[in-house]
Amino acid sequence: MRGCRCSMIMGFTKLIEHFNLQRKKVITINTLYVGIDVSSKSNVVYLMLPNGDKHSNFSVANSLEGSTQLVKRILSLTSHSLDTVLIDLEATSVYGDNLVYFFREDATLAPFNRKSHVLNPKQVKKFHDSYNDLPKNDYVDSFVIADCLRFGRINKEVYLGDYRYKALQNLTRARYFAVQNLTKEKQRFINVLFKKYSTMTQEKVFSTTALAVYDEFESSEVLANMDLQEPTDFIIRKGKNRFPNPDAVAKAIQKAARSSYRLPKTVNDSVNQVLSISITSTNALESQIKEFDKAIKAQMELLPNLLVSISGVGPVYSAGIMAEIGDINRFDNQAALAKCAGLAWKQHQSGGFEAEVTRLIPSGNRFLKCYLCEAAFSLVRCDKEYSDFYHLKYKEVNRCQHKRALALTARKFVRLVFRLLKDTRLYSPAK
């Protein structure tokens, strides 16, 4: 235990030394710190000189013209012999994306060593709180952002190495949100459907054709009292004769209709309208997802897809993971990749106390974390090694068993992803 504590202290000391070295590197060069508080209409800019003195604090429009003016203000500082420009933005939805692209592509900044950073708003707030009695406004925020950058605790640059990954990320994230909307729409549909067919959830008849039956017939009473052949013929016609046993589906639906509550006509009519609109929305979202899948497939043909060689990790998960990772060489090791995904644990230690229960870090790329966890759980069903590992971790504790086992399995999966992408090789499962 004492040796473990000594190693942790030595590791922490090395970490402090690393941060101080990075800070000295940043401060000793002639660096201009540019803090930008971004909004949809304007960008408030704070230009800070290498010694921390204020050069200027102004506002420009969040547009091509405003960004051009900002660059001209930076270029006007020739008398200060600056050779590096560090630009820092607070993450504010999509309002700062175009600005980051602009700084990277602008040729007039080519003589400078330029780097762009995007800060987590929580980090900016905590740094702001370290100042006593500092007011809260856009101009003060731009100063805090610039000073946070000057302080030297930020060493991760915004990744824009290969635009193919960014294009893929736009498609995968759009698909991600479309799937979320589809899930919510289906849940809303089921909630409303309960009013019309209250026992449908017990029968568990949820196919697309069955939902069309619920929308087609006026009320549960009408469906309950009609001849069974009529809903059977409708299912055959609507399902394009794909159902192996349409009679069984029709019987299950009619059974649910007979045991359901009877709604007043006025309420029933409004429920029918809501269900009809919801089905239309569901079909539209499903069509969107199919179009996203086609676009993602076309974009993935431009990139080497090594992860699809893993059984259980299909084109959706592999595309999402690769889009969020980008160039694997920007990560020094698999631990850095895991931290980027938020699959790292906090340490809680004081004196002789070491907490047995620790939580995952709250930061990280939530999209990458989601894709890694989903892919890892798919591996549990398809790969014996991962299945054994998941169930072993599941049995080790008595609470939060699934969450803990899934997180640890995803962490194990990160090591595999990192090694495959780093070595550019396909997956070969252990025999």
Side-chain angles (χ1 to χ4, degrees), residues 2 6-7 32 52-53 55 58 65 147 173 175 189 230 279 283-284 327 336 384 428:
R2 182 174 298 174
C6 291
S7 63
L32 176 68
D53 291 343
H55 176 272
F58 55 92
E65 182 181 355
D147 205 33
R173 289 191 179 186
R175 186 191 186 280
F189 179 90
E230 189 172 348
I279 288 176
N283 293 335
D327 184 2
K384 185 178 185 303
S428 179

Short mmCIF file of all heavy atoms in Angstrom, two decimals, residues 2 6-7 32 52-53 55 58 65 147 173 175 189 230 279 283-284 327 336 384 428:
data_model
loop_
_atom_site.label_atom_id
_atom_site.label_comp_id
_atom_site.label_asym_id
_atom_site.label_seq_id
_atom_site.Cartn_x
_atom_site.Cartn_y
_atom_site.Cartn_z
N ARG A 2 1.98 1.22 0.82
CA ARG A 2 2.86 2.38 0.89
C ARG A 2 3.57 2.58 -0.44
O ARG A 2 3.73 3.70 -0.91
CB ARG A 2 3.87 2.17 2.02
CG ARG A 2 4.80 3.36 2.20
CD ARG A 2 5.69 3.17 3.41
NE ARG A 2 4.90 3.08 4.64
CZ ARG A 2 5.42 2.80 5.82
NH1 ARG A 2 6.73 2.58 5.94
NH2 ARG A 2 4.65 2.73 6.89
N CYS A 6 3.50 5.88 -2.86
CA CYS A 6 4.73 6.54 -3.32
C CYS A 6 4.72 6.69 -4.84
O CYS A 6 5.10 7.72 -5.38
CB CYS A 6 5.96 5.76 -2.88
SG CYS A 6 6.24 5.81 -1.08
N SER A 7 4.28 5.63 -5.52
CA SER A 7 4.25 5.69 -6.99
C SER A 7 3.24 6.72 -7.46
O SER A 7 3.48 7.43 -8.45
CB SER A 7 3.92 4.32 -7.57
OG SER A 7 2.63 3.90 -7.16
N LEU A 32 0.85 35.96 -28.58
CA LEU A 32 -0.35 36.77 -28.42
C LEU A 32 -1.50 35.84 -28.05
O LEU A 32 -1.76 34.85 -28.74
CB LEU A 32 -0.69 37.51 -29.71
CG LEU A 32 -2.00 38.31 -29.69
CD1 LEU A 32 -1.88 39.50 -28.73
CD2 LEU A 32 -2.38 38.78 -31.08
N GLY A 52 0.88 39.39 -20.05
CA GLY A 52 -0.44 39.43 -19.41
C GLY A 52 -1.12 40.78 -19.49
O GLY A 52 -2.27 40.91 -19.03
N ASP A 53 -0.44 41.79 -20.04
CA ASP A 53 -1.06 43.12 -20.16
C ASP A 53 -2.11 43.12 -21.26
O ASP A 53 -2.02 42.37 -22.24
CB ASP A 53 0.00 44.18 -20.48
CG ASP A 53 0.92 44.42 -19.31
OD1 ASP A 53 0.55 44.02 -18.18
OD2 ASP A 53 2.02 44.97 -19.52
N HIS A 55 -3.90 44.47 -24.45
CA HIS A 55 -3.66 45.28 -25.63
C HIS A 55 -4.94 45.97 -26.08
O HIS A 55 -4.98 47.18 -26.27
CB HIS A 55 -3.10 44.44 -26.79
CG HIS A 55 -2.92 45.23 -28.06
ND1 HIS A 55 -3.92 45.37 -28.99
CD2 HIS A 55 -1.86 45.94 -28.52
CE1 HIS A 55 -3.49 46.12 -29.99
NE2 HIS A 55 -2.23 46.48 -29.73
N PHE A 58 -12.45 44.40 -27.71
CA PHE A 58 -13.41 44.95 -28.67
C PHE A 58 -14.37 43.86 -29.14
O PHE A 58 -14.20 42.68 -28.82
CB PHE A 58 -12.67 45.56 -29.87
CG PHE A 58 -11.73 44.59 -30.55
CD1 PHE A 58 -12.14 43.81 -31.62
CD2 PHE A 58 -10.41 44.46 -30.11
CE1 PHE A 58 -11.29 42.91 -32.23
CE2 PHE A 58 -9.54 43.56 -30.72
CZ PHE A 58 -9.98 42.78 -31.78
N GLU A 65 -16.80 39.17 -42.57
CA GLU A 65 -16.27 40.52 -42.48
C GLU A 65 -15.71 40.81 -41.10
O GLU A 65 -14.63 41.39 -40.94
CB GLU A 65 -17.37 41.53 -42.83
CG GLU A 65 -16.89 42.98 -42.82
CD GLU A 65 -18.02 43.96 -43.16
OE1 GLU A 65 -19.12 43.50 -43.48
OE2 GLU A 65 -17.76 45.17 -43.08
N ASP A 147 -6.84 34.78 -20.38
CA ASP A 147 -5.96 34.57 -19.25
C ASP A 147 -5.86 33.08 -18.90
O ASP A 147 -4.80 32.61 -18.46
CB ASP A 147 -6.46 35.36 -18.04
CG ASP A 147 -5.34 35.67 -17.06
OD1 ASP A 147 -4.20 35.86 -17.51
OD2 ASP A 147 -5.61 35.72 -15.85
N ARG A 173 -23.25 12.54 -36.65
CA ARG A 173 -23.96 13.24 -35.57
C ARG A 173 -25.39 13.56 -35.98
O ARG A 173 -26.31 13.49 -35.15
CB ARG A 173 -23.21 14.51 -35.19
CG ARG A 173 -21.91 14.24 -34.44
CD ARG A 173 -21.32 15.50 -33.84
NE ARG A 173 -20.10 15.23 -33.11
CZ ARG A 173 -19.44 16.13 -32.39
NH1 ARG A 173 -19.89 17.38 -32.33
NH2 ARG A 173 -18.34 15.81 -31.75
N ARG A 175 -27.18 11.76 -37.97
CA ARG A 175 -27.89 10.49 -37.85
C ARG A 175 -28.18 10.16 -36.39
O ARG A 175 -29.25 9.65 -36.05
CB ARG A 175 -27.04 9.37 -38.47
CG ARG A 175 -27.77 8.04 -38.52
CD ARG A 175 -26.83 6.90 -38.89
NE ARG A 175 -27.57 5.66 -39.07
CZ ARG A 175 -27.97 4.87 -38.07
NH1 ARG A 175 -27.70 5.20 -36.81
NH2 ARG A 175 -28.65 3.77 -38.32
N PHE A 189 -45.79 7.99 -29.50
CA PHE A 189 -46.86 7.24 -30.19
C PHE A 189 -47.45 6.17 -29.28
O PHE A 189 -48.67 6.02 -29.18
CB PHE A 189 -46.29 6.62 -31.46
CG PHE A 189 -47.30 5.81 -32.23
CD1 PHE A 189 -48.08 6.41 -33.21
CD2 PHE A 189 -47.48 4.46 -31.98
CE1 PHE A 189 -49.01 5.68 -33.92
CE2 PHE A 189 -48.42 3.72 -32.67
CZ PHE A 189 -49.18 4.33 -33.66
N GLU A 230 -61.14 -9.18 -42.17
CA GLU A 230 -60.88 -7.82 -42.65
C GLU A 230 -59.52 -7.30 -42.17
O GLU A 230 -58.72 -6.84 -42.99
CB GLU A 230 -62.01 -6.89 -42.22
CG GLU A 230 -61.91 -5.51 -42.86
CD GLU A 230 -63.15 -4.67 -42.58
OE1 GLU A 230 -64.16 -5.22 -42.10
OE2 GLU A 230 -63.08 -3.45 -42.84
N ILE A 279 -47.40 8.72 -36.96
CA ILE A 279 -46.94 7.70 -37.91
C ILE A 279 -46.25 8.36 -39.10
O ILE A 279 -45.22 7.88 -39.58
CB ILE A 279 -48.12 6.82 -38.36
CG1 ILE A 279 -48.55 5.89 -37.21
CG2 ILE A 279 -47.75 6.00 -39.58
CD1 ILE A 279 -49.76 5.04 -37.53
N ASN A 283 -42.33 7.71 -40.14
CA ASN A 283 -41.90 7.29 -41.48
C ASN A 283 -40.89 8.27 -42.08
O ASN A 283 -39.93 7.87 -42.75
CB ASN A 283 -43.12 7.17 -42.40
CG ASN A 283 -44.04 6.03 -41.99
OD1 ASN A 283 -43.60 5.08 -41.35
ND2 ASN A 283 -45.30 6.12 -42.35
N ALA A 284 -41.11 9.58 -41.83
CA ALA A 284 -40.19 10.59 -42.35
C ALA A 284 -38.81 10.45 -41.71
O ALA A 284 -37.77 10.55 -42.39
CB ALA A 284 -40.75 11.98 -42.10
N ASP A 327 -7.80 11.45 -36.73
CA ASP A 327 -6.48 10.86 -36.90
C ASP A 327 -6.01 10.29 -35.56
O ASP A 327 -5.85 11.02 -34.58
CB ASP A 327 -5.50 11.92 -37.41
CG ASP A 327 -4.13 11.32 -37.71
OD1 ASP A 327 -3.97 10.10 -37.56
OD2 ASP A 327 -3.22 12.09 -38.06
N ALA A 336 -5.02 8.23 -23.37
CA ALA A 336 -5.44 9.55 -23.84
C ALA A 336 -6.72 9.46 -24.64
O ALA A 336 -7.61 10.31 -24.54
CB ALA A 336 -4.33 10.17 -24.67
N LYS A 384 -16.66 -13.98 -27.59
CA LYS A 384 -16.58 -14.71 -26.32
C LYS A 384 -15.67 -14.02 -25.32
O LYS A 384 -15.96 -13.98 -24.12
CB LYS A 384 -16.09 -16.13 -26.58
CG LYS A 384 -16.11 -17.01 -25.32
CD LYS A 384 -15.66 -18.42 -25.62
CE LYS A 384 -15.81 -19.30 -24.38
NZ LYS A 384 -15.07 -18.79 -23.22
N SER A 428 -8.20 -9.69 -35.45
CA SER A 428 -8.14 -11.14 -35.46
C SER A 428 -8.48 -11.65 -34.08
O SER A 428 -7.65 -11.53 -33.16
CB SER A 428 -6.73 -11.60 -35.87
OG SER A 428 -6.66 -13.02 -35.85
#
